[in-house]
Amino acid sequence: MKEIGKIIAEFPKSPESLIPILQEIQEQYNYLSEENIKEVSEKLDLPLQHVFSVATFYNVFSLRPKGRNIVKVCMGSACHVRGSNRILEEIERKLNIKNNETSADGRFSLETVNCLGACALGPIMVVNKEFKGHLTPSEVSKLISQELIEEKS
Amino acid sequence: MKLDSFADFNREVQKLKLKKQTEKTIITVSRDSTCCLLKGSMDLSVALEKELENHKLTDKVLINYSGCLGFCEIEPVVLIEPQNLFFQNVTAQSVQKIVSEILVDGKIPHGSQTIEKRNEGPFYKKQLRFLTGQNEKIEPGSIDDYLVVGGYSALVKVLETMEPRDVINEIKESGLRGRGGGGFPTGKKWESCRNASAPDGCRYVICNGDEGDPGAYMDRSLMESNPHSILEGMIIGSYAIGANEGYIFVRAEYPLAVEHMKSAILQAENYGFLGSSILGSDHNFTIHITMGAGAFVCGESTALMASLEGKAGFPRVKHIHTVEQGFRNKPSNLNNVETWANVPYIISRGAQWYKQIGTAGSRGTKIFSLVGKVKNTGLIEVPMGITLGEIIFEIGGGIPENKNFKAVQTGGPSGGCLPEGYLDSPVDFDALINLGSMMGSGGMIVMDEDTCMVEIARFYLNFLVEESCGKCTPCREGLWQLLSILTRISHGEGNMDDLTTLEELGEMIKDSSLCALGKTAPNPVLSTLRYFREEYIEHIRDRKCRAGVCRDLFRYTIDKEKCTGCSVCRQKCPYKAISGEKKEHHSIDTEICVKCGICFEVCKFNAVRKVS
Ligand SMILES: Cc1cc2nc3c(=O)[nH]c(=O)nc-3n(C[C@H](O)[C@H](O)[C@H](O)COP(=O)(O)O)c2cc1C
Ligand code: FES
């Protein structure tokens, strides 16, 4: 993982660099910690409250650490008419966490997204970066248990 | 190699065309786009290459890994030329057979389809694929492929023979309207931006690749499959408008689109299509790429520019136009991905040619994503003015599993749902608005009898409540009220007065919201109330959901006549709500049942039923 200072130094010192910097930190660290937000605010000379408002406005930023494996279920309209809410319920049951939660052991985070752009093949989910389409609730429970076994840490 | 003049350009293109002429067999695999990758195109390509090696055929074959060919349902596909054959749903296993039969044995496999036949088939026949048709000739990572099919020649035409004013007039004359949802005339927007005062000469062109409408993915496909067409459009626009810097804003969910756009920018810079003194002219232009951070409202022009400036994406009031004061308070011209991709075609073939396609108010073709409950799902490019029925029943092949069509939703989350009676309506900007829906960015979500229209309205409202930025009260509070009324109705707890409240409140939100998100957000409620009022009434008066979606209004039972006692439902029920001995009639304990629907899905004998 890159040091926060190094990440910040890679971008021009400008308010316009704020979002790309936060994105890079999120990518590297999985979340934005309080210290990191403070450091960004100091180094970019931006009010802490501004950095915090940006960090909480956008969906990709998380203020809490996420799990090592991220399951995203598409809740977009094309997936919805093909029953994505039942897919989500099944995954919630299987992983024993609700949407937007991380399991206590830190292995899984469950999220929903509004569209992954593979709408023709819905319902869609993404496990880490891998897309899976044409899901049914009964299939999903199989897939998720395989993922559990194949978990990469 | 940097091309320093138009002569250089012509020489290079000639050279590339010669190089591309080949006696070899060309195998095109639709590999490099998200949908194809999802369906295993990477494994397929590995297997293909290995198979060619095994048969020592690598020297005799040219492989072309293209992006999206539109027909997602049957992808990945393989095209073989000059044999002119087409294969669908190809897997790592089936590709071996294709190679050995065609290339080794020289046979044409039984029942295989020719490319012409594919194009004459229902999915492609009614399409006019100007923007998407070249995808099969282009590897997204190869600028040379784009040059060979005529790429960047529109840019050369512009720089060599046209003044900026001529370009603007040509675009105005073509009748091109923005493809991002609003349908604003593109030429007029360019003209306003060019005419806006810019004391330091600083203007921006921006490409909106935020594609926030769920169910729409044409912009992703264009960025992934033919990134240079977008760049070429933007460079032409920058010349017309007088801008030297451009931005492409891509949503966070599209990493592959970002990757392809980035590499296209590098290649265009190497050839000198981007940078200073483009092709020896005195036009300079550079493009930056920025990733969105996940907020639907950032697709809106002023919110997008706020986001580019590193701020939270709050839209601002409209009376200050972004063409005058946009990004960094400078004149900024924002167009959608597909709008930009139209530009090179209009310039190459001329406004007069372009104007022949489409309807009086909406010229050209439009890409739609045909998704939901329809047989042939995918991206289609059709002339404006085609009817909804032609799209859904001819191109789309109708509704799967012999179900009945109920509605088609167009226009993104704040569009509308149109019923069967309107299938003959032409699809263009104005016709859809007259029906209470809109074009949006081109999502077309087909719904069948199993879709509950009250629940659909609730679903869209829920989306909009979550994505409302909260800046103005009508949108922040009003949508929330609409949602709570809809939720009540879907629980069977509504009353008849609710319907009037929904309509009045909806009109109020439309009239008083600050940005187009709020101004259009009541559409899903208003259009379903207009066309599917009886479903609302059934929910309220009869506590009935005819589609069997609203869970408080139905329960599952097992039909004694049909149940064979196979026990599959009992084994699959995650909640252990089903009991029954093998070979005997099973039953569901409604106290335990959460209506997850797994029994309904797995029963092969249609014995599980929904009753109200
Ligand atoms: C809430 C909201 C979301 C929008 N999302 C998008 C989008 O994702 N992509 C897009 O091109 N336009 C979107 N628009 C429309 C843009 O504001 C703008 O009109 C468009 O990008 C202009 O380009 P065009 O004239 O080429 O269509 C959105 C508008 C609103 C109000
Ligand atoms: S709606 Fe699910 S991928 Fe687009």
Side-chain angles (χ1 to χ4, degrees):
Chain A
M1 269 187 284
K2 264 189 267 178
E3 263 175 57
I4 299 297
K6 274 209 181 117
I7 294 179
I8 300 174
E10 280 169 14
F11 295 86
K13 190 181 167 190
S14 145
E16 284 175 17
S17 299
L18 176 60
I19 295 174
I21 289 174
L22 295 181
Q23 280 168 328
E24 185 63 26
I25 299 176
Q26 174 75 43
E27 173 77 23
Q28 298 269 336
Y29 290 79
N30 229 345
Y31 80 117
L32 308 176
S33 70
E34 195 179 322
E35 301 79 65
N36 292 350
I37 290 183
K38 280 186 182 147
E39 189 166 346
V40 172
S41 140
E42 275 160 28
K43 294 236 161 93
L44 284 184
D45 248 342
L46 289 170
L48 186 58
Q49 154 255 15
H50 174 75
V51 179
F52 187 73
S53 87
V54 168
T56 50
F57 184 88
Y58 293 100
N59 293 335
V60 298
F61 303 128
S62 165
L63 301 187
R64 271 171 292 152
K66 288 189 187 178
R68 293 192 296 280
N69 298 280
I70 297 180
V71 181
K72 291 185 189 170
V73 185
C74 178
M75 290 284 127
S77 31
C79 292
H80 178 79
V81 302
R82 290 188 176 183
S84 56
N85 54 344
R86 290 177 39 219
I87 305 292
L88 177 66
E89 272 170 28
E90 192 51 27
I91 298 176
E92 286 179 334
R93 198 184 61 78
K94 225 31 218 204
L95 295 180
N96 202 15
I97 46 174
K98 292 278 170 216
N99 178 21
N100 279 328
E101 286 181 359
T102 298
S103 59
D105 58 6
R107 290 169 82 191
F108 286 94
S109 285
L110 179 57
E111 298 174 3
T112 54
V113 281
N114 287 329
C115 177
L116 290 155
C119 325
L121 309 174
I124 304 273
M125 72 171 177
V126 184
V127 181
N128 297 324
K129 297 216 157 136
E130 199 177 324
F131 281 67
K132 310 216 185 276
H134 285 312
L135 299 168
T136 62
S138 50
E139 236 175 47
V140 116
S141 75
K142 254 189 298 181
L143 277 174
I144 287 287
S145 28
Q146 278 167 13
E147 294 303 329
L148 276 167
I149 298 160
E150 291 165 15
E151 185 200 352
K152 32 183 179 325
S153 298
Chain B
M1 181 186 69
K2 191 155 186 281
L3 306 174
D4 285 322
S5 67
F6 305 129
D8 267 6
F9 172 85
N10 291 332
R11 255 194 310 275
E12 181 68 19
V13 172
Q14 281 315 321
K15 214 170 77 195
L16 290 171
K17 280 187 177 161
L18 278 177
K19 211 168 101 189
K20 194 88 194 185
Q21 276 176 2
T22 174
E23 305 282 300
K24 293 180 187 173
T25 304
I26 303 174
I27 303 187
T28 303
V29 182
S30 62
R31 183 187 72 177
D32 290 342
S33 107
T34 307
C35 297
C36 308
L37 289 167
L38 185 158
K39 291 186 81 183
S41 59
M42 200 47 93
D43 290 346
L44 151 63
S45 70
V46 173
L48 170 66
E49 287 174 25
K50 209 165 129 208
E51 195 63 12
L52 292 175
E53 236 162 66
N54 287 348
H55 291 291
K56 306 213 162 34
L57 283 169
T58 28
D59 294 339
K60 300 202 174 86
V61 173
L62 203 83
I63 309 181
N64 168 32
Y65 291 125
S66 79
C68 168
L69 305 190
F71 202 166
C72 306
E73 194 68 43
I74 61 161
E75 263 168 69
V77 298
V78 168
L79 310 177
I80 302 190
E81 289 159 304
Q83 287 87 338
N84 208 12
L85 294 172
F86 162 77
F87 300 88
Q88 60 187 52
N89 278 323
V90 185
T91 60
Q93 289 77 38
S94 65
V95 79
Q96 298 179 348
K97 197 161 157 252
I98 295 175
V99 168
S100 64
E101 289 197 6
I102 301 179
L103 301 184
V104 181
D105 304 343
K107 281 197 300 207
I108 292 191
H110 187 67
S112 57
Q113 214 182 6
T114 62
I115 296 174
E116 277 92 31
K117 202 149 162 229
R118 174 200 71 168
N119 294 343
E120 280 302 302
F123 185 78
Y124 286 106
K125 195 172 171 190
K126 287 217 157 173
Q127 295 196 46
L128 268 185
R129 298 173 69 83
F130 293 127
L131 308 185
T132 50
Q134 288 180 338
N135 289 2
E136 60 194 57
K137 302 272 174 236
I138 298 176
E139 289 202 359
S142 162
I143 190 170
D144 290 352
D145 283 357
Y146 184 66
L147 288 168
V148 167
V149 297
Y152 289 106
S153 61
L155 174 65
V156 169
K157 180 174 172 184
V158 161
L159 295 177
E160 198 173 16
T161 65
M162 295 168 89
E163 290 298 317
R165 295 268 165 222
D166 304 332
V167 181
I168 289 178
N169 287 337
E170 192 73 6
I171 299 295
K172 271 169 88 176
E173 180 62 24
S174 73
L176 175 66
R177 291 172 69 175
R179 302 302 196 232
F184 193 83
T186 306
K188 209 169 136 193
K189 193 190 273 183
W190 289 16
E191 187 170 51
S192 312
C193 191
R194 171 150 199 110
N195 290 343
S197 124
D200 55 359
C202 192
R203 293 187 175 81
Y204 295 102
V205 297
I206 306 172
C207 172
N208 192 342
D210 196 46
E211 192 153 75
D213 288 4
Y217 62 104
M218 56 288 299
D219 295 347
R220 166 179 75 69
S221 167
L222 283 170
M223 289 187 279
E224 284 177 357
S225 309
N226 193 354
H228 286 286
S229 64
I230 302 157
L231 296 185
E232 188 178 1
M234 288 180 74
I235 305 169
I236 294 171
S238 72
Y239 173 76
I241 290 162
N244 301 121
E245 225 178 317
Y247 282 80
I248 304 177
F249 186 88
V250 188
R251 71 195 291 242
E253 289 80 1
Y254 289 175
L256 192 67
V258 172
E259 193 187 311
H260 287 191
M261 289 305 306
K262 275 189 179 159
S263 94
I265 291 174
L266 281 179
Q267 293 177 336
E269 284 170 349
N270 284 341
Y271 267 126
F273 299 126
L274 284 170
S276 48
S277 306
I278 294 172
L279 293 172
S281 72
D282 50 16
H283 184 54
N284 311 322
F285 185 57
T286 50
I287 294 184
H288 313 278
I289 192 154
T290 303
M291 271 242 268
F296 172 69
V297 75
C298 284
E300 195 273 346
S301 48
T302 57
L304 185 149
M305 292 176 199
S307 185
L308 280 180
E309 289 169 2
K311 302 176 190 150
F314 291 111
R316 63 166 202 222
V317 283
K318 267 275 159 98
H319 61 81
I320 314 162
H321 297 292
T322 49
V323 284
E324 281 149 17
Q325 283 178 45
F327 178 51
R328 296 175 180 159
N329 275 329
K330 309 284 181 195
S332 305
N333 181 92
L334 174 74
N335 281 119
N336 165 264
V337 166
E338 190 181 338
T339 314
W340 288 119
N342 266 282
V343 170
Y345 286 85
I346 296 173
I347 298 295
S348 292
R349 304 210 193 176
Q352 294 308 325
W353 168 82
Y354 190 82
K355 266 168 75 173
Q356 295 165 16
I357 309 157
T359 61
S362 310
R363 303 293 187 189
T365 60
K366 174 80 193 86
I367 310 177
F368 290 97
S369 60
L370 188 55
V371 294
K373 300 292 189 75
V374 61
K375 278 187 196 150
N376 302 334
T377 56
L379 281 185
I380 59 165
E381 184 180 348
V382 286
M384 297 270 198
I386 190 170
T387 66
L388 287 167
E390 284 172 288
I391 293 184
I392 298 163
F393 287 92
E394 294 183 35
I395 300 178
I399 315 300
E401 297 170 28
N402 287 324
K403 297 265 167 107
N404 291 314
F405 169 84
K406 186 182 268 183
V408 55
Q409 204 275 352
T410 68
S414 37
C417 297
L418 303 174
E420 196 170 8
Y422 294 90
L423 286 175
D424 288 336
S425 306
V427 177
D428 73 11
F429 286 108
D430 311 306
L432 287 176
I433 288 184
N434 288 339
L435 296 177
S437 184
M438 55 191 201
M439 176 89 81
S441 53
M444 209 171 255
I445 296 133
V446 182
M447 301 172 184
D448 68 1
E449 58 192 89
D450 294 339
T451 312
C452 166
M453 299 317 283
V454 177
E455 200 277 335
I456 277 292
R458 203 196 64 79
F459 163 77
Y460 282 114
L461 256 292
N462 186 51
F463 173 89
L464 292 157
V465 164
E466 281 182 18
E467 293 298 334
S468 165
C469 75
K471 183 169 173 177
C472 75
T473 318
C475 176
R476 184 185 64 239
E477 304 296 330
L479 295 184
W480 194 83
Q481 282 301 328
L482 287 183
L483 176 64
S484 49
I485 298 174
L486 287 170
T487 306
R488 223 171 49 225
I489 298 177
S490 67
H491 288 321
E493 290 157 7
N495 60 60
M496 287 302 188
D497 291 343
D498 283 340
L499 301 186
T500 337
T501 314
L502 285 175
E503 276 163 338
E504 285 174 4
L505 188 56
E507 291 299 336
M508 193 278 288
I509 298 169
K510 272 174 103 164
D511 289 343
S512 52
S513 292
L514 181 131
C515 85
L517 190 151
K519 283 185 198 299
T520 54
N523 278 347
V525 191
L526 298 176
S527 75
T528 47
L529 273 169
R530 179 167 159 192
Y531 296 119
F532 299 94
R533 202 177 189 89
E534 63 295 7
E535 285 197 32
Y536 281 85
I537 295 175
E538 281 169 13
H539 279 72
I540 296 170
R541 194 188 53 204
D542 312 332
R543 288 184 47 85
K544 181 177 155 201
C545 173
R546 61 166 92 165
V549 173
C550 296
R551 289 190 185 176
D552 291 332
L553 307 185
F554 76 91
R555 62 193 164 80
Y556 285 106
T557 67
I558 298 178
D559 188 332
K560 274 200 175 117
E561 304 292 309
K562 288 187 176 162
C563 177
T564 62
C566 71
S567 254
V568 169
C569 60
R570 183 173 56 83
Q571 287 154 17
K572 294 273 170 167
C573 176
Y575 301 91
K576 306 210 182 325
I578 302 180
S579 55
E581 293 299 317
K582 245 197 150 48
K583 301 213 168 120
E584 279 175 25
H585 171 232
H586 284 47
S587 62
I588 299 176
D589 184 338
T590 46
E591 292 290 301
I592 307 175
C593 174
V594 302
K595 300 171 191 167
C596 73
I598 288 188
C599 54
F600 187 76
E601 180 203 322
V602 297
C603 179
K604 286 202 186 77
F605 307 98
N606 290 329
V608 181
R609 288 191 303 132
K610 296 173 180 177
V611 292
S612 36

